[in-house]
Amino acid sequence: MNARGIAAEAAHMIREAIMDGSFRPGEELREGSLAESLTVSRGSVREGLSILEREGIIRTGWHRPATVIPVSRDHARNLYRLRAGLDRIAAQGAAHHTRADGFSPALESLRSAVTDGAARSEVVRADLEFHDAVYEVADNAPLTSAWQAIRSQIRLYQLVRSAEPESGYDSSLVAEHSRYAEILTSGDVETAGRYAEQHVESALEGLLGRLGD
Amino acid sequence: MNARGIAAEAAHMIREAIMDGSFRPGEELREGSLAESLTVSRGSVREGLSILEREGIIRTGWHRPATVIPVSRDHARNLYRLRAGLDRIAAQGAAHHTRADGFSPALESLRSAVTDGAARSEVVRADLEFHDAVYEVADNAPLTSAWQAIRSQIRLYQLVRSAEPESGYDSSLVAEHSRYAEILTSGDVETAGRYAEQHVESALEGLLGRLGD
DNA sequence: TCGGCGATTAATGTCAACATTCGACATTGA
DNA sequence: TCAATGTCGAATGTTGACATTAATCGCCGA
């Protein structure tokens, strides 16, 4: 939480409440009650909700309460199709720049989270932070911005994916990401792009299996 | 202007002022003076600026005035690399759905704008609306959202590109877009994706030639 | 003279009151 | 009975006053 300002803090609180299930998909978020429970003004809550809308995890309508986005197979497919495209560009960019040590710390952190048997949410967080590192190495501000705009939605679906035990979510996680990092440092732009797309595609497959809908 | 609310209207006014050069790249936008000149409250201006930030044409900072994004070769390269990736997915999606009449009206409107010798800004608008149609046919909400987040920035650079006469901007425009539409209706997903990427790549080349910086 | 430091000031951040709008429910009329 | 319409309540949209922050400029001392 390094974000400055009450609005950003409000956004943080609401976001985490959504992530831990305190607000279900489709549920309404009323500015008034949020303001009361967070002990801030409705204006700040409103600005916080605007941030969350930018992250795509809530929708707003004219004179209607904000709602948590519903999760569905269709939306997941479209979201991951977009992510595949973004990751492809990021991987190409990262491979092009070839800064070897860019994602080693993130990879190490992911590995220790998995081997330590950390909570699901922690593993998901480490997973996303690895991808953050890839985007950072790619060094493309508009691309990173597009990633930020879907990151929270991805997080929501990853939590769904890893919600139940025996999901096999983190068994191959470290191996796949190690291979990913290897390819990126190899500098082979084309291969990197292809691998990134395929990586996301397989993640989608695993997710769709868990999405009854 | 079907947008509802004073904030959206304020965003519209400011956006157009940026597009027609009333605010130069890098220039500061003060909430107070904007509120005064638009005769609305600072709060509404603030929310309008938040919309424009989502569109990527202004930046904001903590306790600092918003600024119009600076244009640069680097930023253009990164922006168009992202756009190429998005357009690729959109083209693949549109080719997959194969709704023939989806972009014919937009194409016709672009053709008439060019042949009528309409103003640069009108041609750019028609150009973008054609691409809007492609995204709509692709029918992928997160993807369309990502497109909306860069659309205004693209518009800004397209205006730069077509700013001076003899730029050769619209000579091949109609031909290229007709071919684009053809490929999309043909249903060949792979070819559509490749053509879209290449289309953007050549647009970037033309743009970089006009960007001294 | 120069460099650090504090008051100034001009901007943004926050708040609470008021205006507007939407959806639901009751009402009325054919 | 049913559909169009009026009314009501609860939510969001908008506003202006007040709090907070960061850059600027001048002062002071080494």
Side-chain angles (χ1 to χ4, degrees), chain A residues 107 110-112 114-115 170-179:
Chain A
L107 184 58
L110 174 63
R111 174 171 291 139
S112 68
V114 169
T115 58
D170 47 0
S171 61
S172 57
L173 240 187
V174 174
E176 269 194 46
H177 282 76
S178 294
R179 177 98 188 94

Side-chain angles (χ1 to χ4, degrees), chain B residues 194-207:
Chain B
R194 258 195 304 274
Y195 187 84
E197 267 191 313
Q198 167 186 333
H199 178 78
V200 173
E201 205 64 44
S202 83
L204 174 60
E205 290 308 318
L207 174 60

Side-chain angles (χ1 to χ4, degrees), chain A:
Chain A
M1 256 305 295
N2 49 9
R4 301 225 261 183
I6 293 182
E9 192 160 346
H12 176 74
M13 304 290 261
I14 300 170
R15 186 191 304 112
E16 294 310 311
I18 292 174
M19 292 301 166
D20 73 14
S22 300
F23 295 111
R24 303 283 203 69
E27 189 168 347
E28 293 184 338
L29 303 175
R30 288 181 189 76
E31 298 177 356
S33 44
L34 287 173
E36 190 176 7
S37 67
L38 296 175
T39 331
V40 300
S41 84
R42 239 192 68 221
S44 296
V45 168
R46 192 179 169 74
E47 190 165 337
L49 289 176
S50 165
I51 294 173
L52 297 183
E53 189 184 13
R54 207 171 314 182
E55 298 178 4
I57 58 176
I58 69 170
R59 292 197 203 308
T60 67
W62 179 252
H63 271 289
R64 248 182 306 287
T67 60
V68 179
I69 57 164
V71 309
S72 73
R73 296 172 67 87
D74 254 358
H75 182 242
R77 262 190 288 264
N78 286 332
L79 180 64
Y80 275 69
R81 190 117 50 207
L82 170 58
R83 187 196 168 181
L86 297 183
D87 271 14
R88 174 173 175 265
I89 308 173
Q92 290 176 341
H96 182 68
H97 286 84
T98 316
R99 262 176 38 201
D101 59 343
F103 14 78
S104 333
L107 184 58
E108 203 43 53
S109 148
L110 174 63
R111 174 171 291 139
S112 68
V114 169
T115 58
D116 291 0
R120 301 304 210 231
S121 62
E122 286 308 314
V123 176
V124 168
R125 190 187 309 276
D127 183 351
L128 288 174
E129 277 168 6
F130 173 84
H131 289 280
D132 288 344
V134 176
Y135 277 90
E136 191 169 351
V137 172
D139 191 34
N140 179 330
L143 175 63
T144 300
S145 181
W147 163 242
Q148 291 293 340
I150 65 166
R151 209 192 101 114
S152 287
Q153 298 174 69
I154 298 290
R155 186 174 161 207
L156 202 51
Y157 277 102
Q158 296 280 68
L159 286 171
V160 170
R161 186 183 173 203
S162 69
E164 301 171 39
E166 312 297 340
S167 70
Y169 166 64
D170 47 0
S171 61
S172 57
L173 240 187
V174 174
E176 269 194 46
H177 282 76
S178 294
R179 177 98 188 94
Y180 194 3
E182 258 178 51
I183 294 178
L184 290 178
T185 51
S186 83
D188 183 343
V189 172
E190 287 308 315
T191 303
R194 258 195 304 273
Y195 187 84
E197 266 192 312
Q198 167 186 333
H199 179 77
V200 173
E201 206 63 43
S202 83
L204 173 60
E205 291 308 318
L207 175 60
L208 287 179
R210 305 233 128 239
L211 235 50
D213 205 8

Side-chain angles (χ1 to χ4, degrees), chain B:
Chain B
M1 256 304 293
N2 49 8
R4 302 228 257 181
I6 293 183
E9 192 159 348
H12 177 72
M13 305 289 263
I14 301 170
R15 186 191 304 114
E16 294 310 309
I18 292 174
M19 293 300 167
D20 73 14
S22 300
F23 295 111
R24 303 284 202 68
E27 189 169 346
E28 293 183 340
L29 302 176
R30 287 180 191 78
E31 297 176 358
S33 43
L34 287 173
E36 191 176 7
S37 68
L38 296 176
T39 331
V40 300
S41 85
R42 240 192 67 221
S44 296
V45 168
R46 192 179 171 75
E47 191 165 335
L49 288 176
S50 164
I51 294 174
L52 297 182
E53 189 185 12
R54 209 170 313 183
E55 297 178 4
I57 59 177
I58 69 170
R59 290 198 205 305
T60 67
W62 178 252
H63 271 288
R64 250 183 306 286
T67 60
V68 179
I69 58 164
V71 309
S72 74
R73 296 173 67 87
D74 255 358
H75 181 242
R77 262 190 289 263
N78 286 333
L79 180 64
Y80 275 69
R81 190 116 49 206
L82 170 58
R83 186 195 169 183
L86 297 183
D87 272 14
R88 173 172 175 267
I89 308 173
Q92 291 176 340
H96 182 67
H97 286 82
T98 316
R99 261 176 38 200
D101 59 342
F103 14 80
S104 335
L107 183 58
E108 203 45 53
S109 150
L110 174 62
R111 174 172 291 139
S112 68
V114 169
T115 58
D116 292 1
R120 300 305 209 230
S121 61
E122 285 308 314
V123 176
V124 169
R125 191 187 310 275
D127 184 351
L128 288 174
E129 276 168 6
F130 173 84
H131 289 280
D132 287 345
V134 176
Y135 278 89
E136 191 170 348
V137 172
D139 190 34
N140 179 330
L143 175 63
T144 301
S145 181
W147 163 243
Q148 290 293 341
I150 66 166
R151 209 193 101 115
S152 287
Q153 300 175 67
I154 298 290
R155 183 173 163 208
L156 201 53
Y157 277 102
Q158 296 281 68
L159 286 171
V160 169
R161 186 183 172 202
S162 69
E164 301 171 38
E166 314 296 341
S167 68
Y169 166 63
D170 48 0
S171 61
S172 56
L173 240 188
V174 174
E176 269 193 48
H177 282 75
S178 294
R179 177 99 188 93
Y180 195 2
E182 258 177 51
I183 294 178
L184 291 178
T185 51
S186 84
D188 183 343
V189 172
E190 287 308 314
T191 303
R194 258 195 304 274
Y195 187 84
E197 267 191 313
Q198 167 186 333
H199 178 78
V200 173
E201 205 64 44
S202 83
L204 174 60
E205 290 308 318
L207 174 60
L208 287 178
R210 305 232 129 240
L211 235 49
D213 208 8

